[in-house]
């Protein structure tokens, strides 16, 4: 692969160090509404997160990424932000957020917060001011306001669609009561897109980064990181490169942001949500003076198949190598169908932009076996590993939420055709909730057996397994920093070694339909299922020494 341009001229920054913490971190994603409820109102909050820091420490993660906790009307689960420098009262206060960061640090856990620079809430003061100020005003120039097409401006300015379904534009009513301009919203209509052609937007976000860095946060997860810059001509899109994504100008933003982080000496990090499927263009975001890491969506989308997984692992490592970047390994997040359910279906592949359709059956027992094996695979690959809250409990997707309880705009904007993302956002079962406690999305009764309380008592549970695997990963230099090499194996089996300072760990994942006779070894460090008698059943993984 060609080395992306500008790599050679990039200034090496302090955080490019090969031993930086984030190069091998285990990062736990907290979706705050659904993690832990501290005040008993049915909605997760900061008090809940603070109370569960010992749980996270015991789980053995190095950092948490907290999905948006800012004041928000929740038109898109918090990704519609009304104030980037405060905490939503449902979650707590800014003082509690500061206390959380400091207590997490005391527990040895770093804190990454979410930043949403592509769009804000329609309740954000800038957008309210833009509506009031009217056409041609500097307030409107912070967003993409345009007159409509058609004789009376009754048609949207172009044919861009919203990611959630329907037109990507909404028409406003002007001060005189007449229908007026349209504004662009790539996501829900309540999420107007910022115009990054405007220097005020740049200055505002650099100031927001500093605001949180000054409060000790250890980095930022950047929402739809490749969407910020649009082709300013706003052309119709029929085919080919999308004029709203992956524009070359976006890299200037991240070069400037990287400098903001470099002024802090606690080694803060960026992780970008970058959707670009072209490996060379993806790697551009990871040049040494831009983002440190980005989510590995091709891996998440891969079917449970040895050839497909090996191909995506190889291409991941190959695309990161020329820019010296660290790979990430992600199985699920708050936008995707939980992988226990995906891996239990006949078709185990997943399309991020596909629809979550009704009535696809899943064998959850099979899904859980595969999920445990996948956990060992991701934890043994070089780079950092993400755990979405509830992965460690083996939670499945909740697919039977009543329509009146659903909250995700995807469900409503597709007329219920796409089930949306509520099913992966159901609050975690802790097992110590009050008997009459209700959560904002109801937990299925089957989760009682999967609660933290139930699983903590059982060392062979998924939770016990995750704790052991994460502890081994952090104790073994080979797994964190070792060289990676594929080893020969029968068809349908993934086999590789991680080696550091003469010490090796071998990971085998049996995706074939038959038991695998294990190669010579001195010790089974951990297995995701029974690995006695020297054989490994199908859909099982093992780490050998
Ligand atoms: C990606 C986030 O992960 C998702 O939850 C959100 O709806 C969109 N970006 C828009 O902010």
């Amino acid at each position: 692969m060609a080395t992306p341009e500008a790599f050679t001229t990039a200034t090496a920054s302090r955080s490019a160090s090969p031993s930086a913490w984030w190069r091998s971190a285990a990062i736990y994603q907290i979706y705050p509404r659904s993690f832990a409820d501290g005040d008993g109102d049915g909605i997760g909050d900061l008090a809940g997160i603070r109370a569960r820091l010992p749980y996270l420490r015991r789980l053995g993660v190095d950092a948490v990424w907290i999905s948006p906790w800012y004041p928000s009307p929740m038109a898109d689960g918090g990704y519609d932000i009304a104030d980037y420098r405060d905490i939503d009262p449902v979650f707590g206060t800014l003082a509690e957020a500061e206390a959380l960061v400091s207590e997490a640090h005391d527990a040895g856990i770093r804190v990454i917060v979410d930043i949403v620079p592509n769009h804000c809430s329609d309740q954000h003061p800038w957008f309210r001011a833009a509506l009031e100020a009217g056409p041609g005003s500097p307030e409107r120039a912070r967003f993409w306001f345009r007159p409509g097409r058609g004789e009376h401006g009754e048609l949207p300015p172009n044919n861009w669609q919203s990611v959630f379904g329907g037109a990507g534009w909404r028409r406003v009513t002007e001060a005189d009561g007449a229908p007026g301009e349209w504004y662009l919203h790539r996501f829900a209509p309540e999420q107007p897109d910022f115009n990054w052609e405007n220097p005020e937007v740049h200055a505002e976000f650099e100031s927001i980064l500093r605001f949180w860095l000054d409060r000790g946060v250890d980095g930022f997860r950047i929402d739809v990181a490749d969407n910020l810059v649009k082709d300013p001509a706003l052309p119709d899109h029929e085919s080919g490169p999308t004029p709203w994504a992956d524009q070359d100008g976006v890299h200037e933003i991240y070069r400037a942001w990287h400098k903001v982080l470099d002024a802090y000496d606690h080694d803060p990090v960026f992780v970008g949500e970058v959707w670009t499927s072209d490996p060379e263009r993806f790697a551009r975001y990871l040049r040494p003076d831009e983002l440190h890491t980005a989510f590995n969506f091709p891996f998440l989308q891969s079917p449970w198949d040895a050839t497909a997984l090996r191909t995506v692992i190889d291409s991941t490592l190959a695309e990161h190598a020329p820019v010296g970047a660290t790979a990430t390994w992600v199985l699920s997040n708050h936008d995707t169908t939980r992988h226990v359910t995906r891996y239990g279906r006949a078709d185990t592949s997943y399309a991020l932009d596909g629809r979550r359709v009704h009535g696809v059956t899943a064998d959850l027992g099979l899904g859980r076996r595969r999920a445990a094996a996948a956990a060992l695979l991701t934890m043994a690959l070089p780079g950092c590993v993400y755990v979405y809250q509830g992965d460690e409990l083996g939670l499945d997707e909740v697919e039977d939420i009543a329509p009146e309880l659903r909250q995700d705009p995807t469900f409503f904007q597709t007329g219920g055709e796409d089930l949306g993302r509520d099913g992966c956002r159901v609050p975690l079962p802790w097992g110590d909730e009050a008997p009459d406690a209700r959560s904002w999305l109801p937990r299925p009764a089957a989760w009682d057996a999967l609660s933290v309380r139930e699983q903590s008592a059982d060392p062979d549970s998924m939770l016990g397994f995750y704790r052991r695997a994460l502890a081994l990963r952090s104790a073994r230099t080979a797994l964190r920093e070792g060289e990676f090499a594929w080893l020969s194996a029968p068809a349908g089996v993934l086999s590789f070694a991680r080696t550091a300072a003469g010490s090796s760990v071998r990971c085998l994942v049996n995706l074939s339909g038959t038991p695998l006779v294990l190669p010579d070894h001195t010790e089974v460090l951990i297995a995701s299922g029974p690995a006695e008698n020297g054989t490994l059943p199908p859909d099982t993984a093992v780490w050998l020494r």
Side-chain angles (χ1 to χ4, degrees), residues 514-540:
T514 52
L516 171 76
V517 176
L518 289 175
D520 288 344
H521 56 275
T522 49
E523 188 187 354
V524 173
L525 293 173
I526 188 168
S528 67
E532 293 95 29
N533 311 323
T535 58
L536 191 67
D539 298 309
T540 309

Side-chain angles (χ1 to χ4, degrees), residues 246-255 284-285 287 290:
D246 196 30
Q247 302 290 301
D248 287 342
V250 78
H251 298 287
E252 283 310 317
I253 299 171
Y254 297 130
R255 291 199 181 102
R284 289 170 186 241
Y285 291 82
R287 289 176 286 200
E290 296 195 37

Side-chain angles (χ1 to χ4, degrees), residues 29 31 65 67-68 75-80 114-119 163-164 186-188 191 221-225 273 275 295 297 333-336 408-410 421 425:
Q29 182 190 353
Y31 188 70
W65 146 35
S67 281
D76 180 22
Y79 284 89
D80 48 318
D114 219 306
I115 187 149
V116 185
N118 180 67
H119 48 263
V163 172
F164 295 152
R186 290 276 305 122
F187 293 88
Q191 292 169 296
R221 176 268 187 191
I222 307 169
D223 192 63
V224 280
E273 187 199 21
W275 293 62
F295 293 125
F297 292 126
N333 67 29
H334 65 293
D335 291 331
T336 63
D408 184 5
T410 331
R421 302 163 294 178
R425 298 175 178 180

Side-chain angles (χ1 to χ4, degrees), residues 26 59 299 304 309 329-332 339-340 343 367-381 384-388 390-394 461-470 473 479 496 507-509 526-528 539-543:
L59 180 59
F299 180 78
W304 184 248
L309 284 166
W329 308 101
V330 188
L331 292 166
S332 280
H339 59 277
V340 161
Y343 289 159
R368 284 201 179 93
R369 283 201 298 286
R370 290 175 171 174
L376 282 193
L377 170 63
T378 56
M379 290 183 208
L381 288 167
C384 51
V385 63
Y386 280 81
V387 178
Y388 175 50
D391 287 356
E392 79 281 18
L393 303 176
S461 63
M462 186 74 96
L463 179 58
F465 165 74
Y466 258 80
R467 286 172 173 164
R468 275 181 285 127
L470 286 166
R473 183 179 184 273
L479 284 168
F496 58 88
C507 175
L508 289 122
V509 190
I526 188 168
S528 67
D539 298 309
T540 309
V542 68
W543 292 350

Side-chain angles (χ1 to χ4, degrees), residues 149-462:
R149 296 199 282 202
E151 202 183 331
H152 306 289
E154 71 280 14
L155 299 172
N158 69 21
N159 67 356
W160 298 3
Q161 297 292 295
S162 154
V163 172
F164 295 152
W169 294 86
R170 174 171 273 191
R171 195 170 194 187
V172 303
T173 303
E174 303 296 1
D176 61 3
E181 291 190 315
W182 299 69
Y183 67 86
L184 175 68
H185 60 88
R186 290 276 305 122
F187 293 88
E190 296 86 356
Q191 292 169 296
D193 278 46
F194 284 113
N195 181 348
W196 278 86
E197 300 297 308
N198 187 328
E200 278 188 71
V201 176
H202 291 245
E204 174 66 357
F205 273 92
E206 289 179 24
S207 153
I208 293 165
L209 293 178
R210 290 193 189 94
F211 178 89
W212 290 105
L213 289 164
D214 289 343
R215 279 159 184 76
V217 308
D218 301 282
F220 300 89
R221 176 268 187 191
I222 307 169
D223 192 63
V224 280
D226 54 344
N227 269 228
L228 276 48
V229 173
K230 275 83 181 173
D231 177 340
L234 303 177
D236 275 338
H237 176 65
E238 303 302 342
S239 59
T242 45
W244 58 78
D246 196 30
Q247 302 290 301
D248 287 342
V250 78
H251 298 287
E252 283 310 317
I253 299 171
Y254 297 130
R255 291 199 181 102
W257 284 22
H258 195 104
K259 290 197 184 108
V260 172
L261 260 60
D262 263 354
Y264 290 79
D265 59 15
H266 61 289
D267 208 2
V269 65
F270 286 122
V271 53
E273 187 199 21
V274 177
W275 293 62
T276 315
S277 56
D278 176 321
E280 193 271 332
R281 295 206 62 93
F282 179 85
R284 289 170 186 241
Y285 291 82
L286 301 177
R287 289 176 286 200
D289 58 349
E290 296 195 37
L291 307 183
H292 309 77
T293 55
F295 293 125
N296 188 345
F297 292 126
F299 180 78
L300 185 153
Q301 297 179 94
S302 170
W304 184 248
D305 170 84
T307 307
L309 284 166
R310 182 167 173 153
T311 303
V312 72
I313 291 166
D314 279 338
S315 64
T316 299
L317 298 177
E319 80 198 23
H320 285 72
V323 285
T326 291
T328 66
W329 308 101
V330 188
L331 292 166
S332 280
N333 67 29
H334 65 293
D335 291 331
T336 63
T337 303
R338 283 190 178 272
H339 59 277
V340 161
T341 298
R342 282 167 17 220
Y343 289 159
R345 292 175 173 165
D347 177 0
T348 53
S349 66
Y350 187 71
L352 278 173
D353 51 0
R355 302 207 150 175
R356 283 147 286 233
V357 293
H358 306 249
V360 184
T361 52
D363 174 344
L364 297 181
L366 177 64
R368 284 201 179 93
R369 283 201 298 286
R370 290 175 171 174
L376 282 193
L377 170 63
T378 56
M379 290 183 208
L381 288 167
C384 51
V385 63
Y386 280 81
V387 178
Y388 175 50
Q389 62 179 35
D391 287 356
E392 79 281 18
L393 303 176
L395 297 187
D396 48 296
E397 184 80 2
V398 182
E399 298 191 283
D400 59 355
I401 300 170
E404 64 276 14
L405 295 177
R406 290 200 174 267
Q407 311 234 350
D408 184 5
T410 331
F411 180 77
F412 300 103
Q413 286 190 224
T414 60
E417 210 180 292
D418 187 330
L419 285 171
R421 302 163 294 178
D422 293 318
C424 64
R425 298 175 178 180
V426 173
L428 295 199
W430 291 95
D432 55 7
E433 295 83 6
D436 57 347
R438 285 169 168 257
S439 52
W440 68 278
L441 288 172
R443 296 180 194 88
W447 282 14
D448 291 352
L450 299 177
S451 74
V452 172
R453 184 153 72 179
E454 287 295 319
Q455 297 202 41
S456 288
D458 175 6
D460 293 327
S461 63
M462 186 74 96

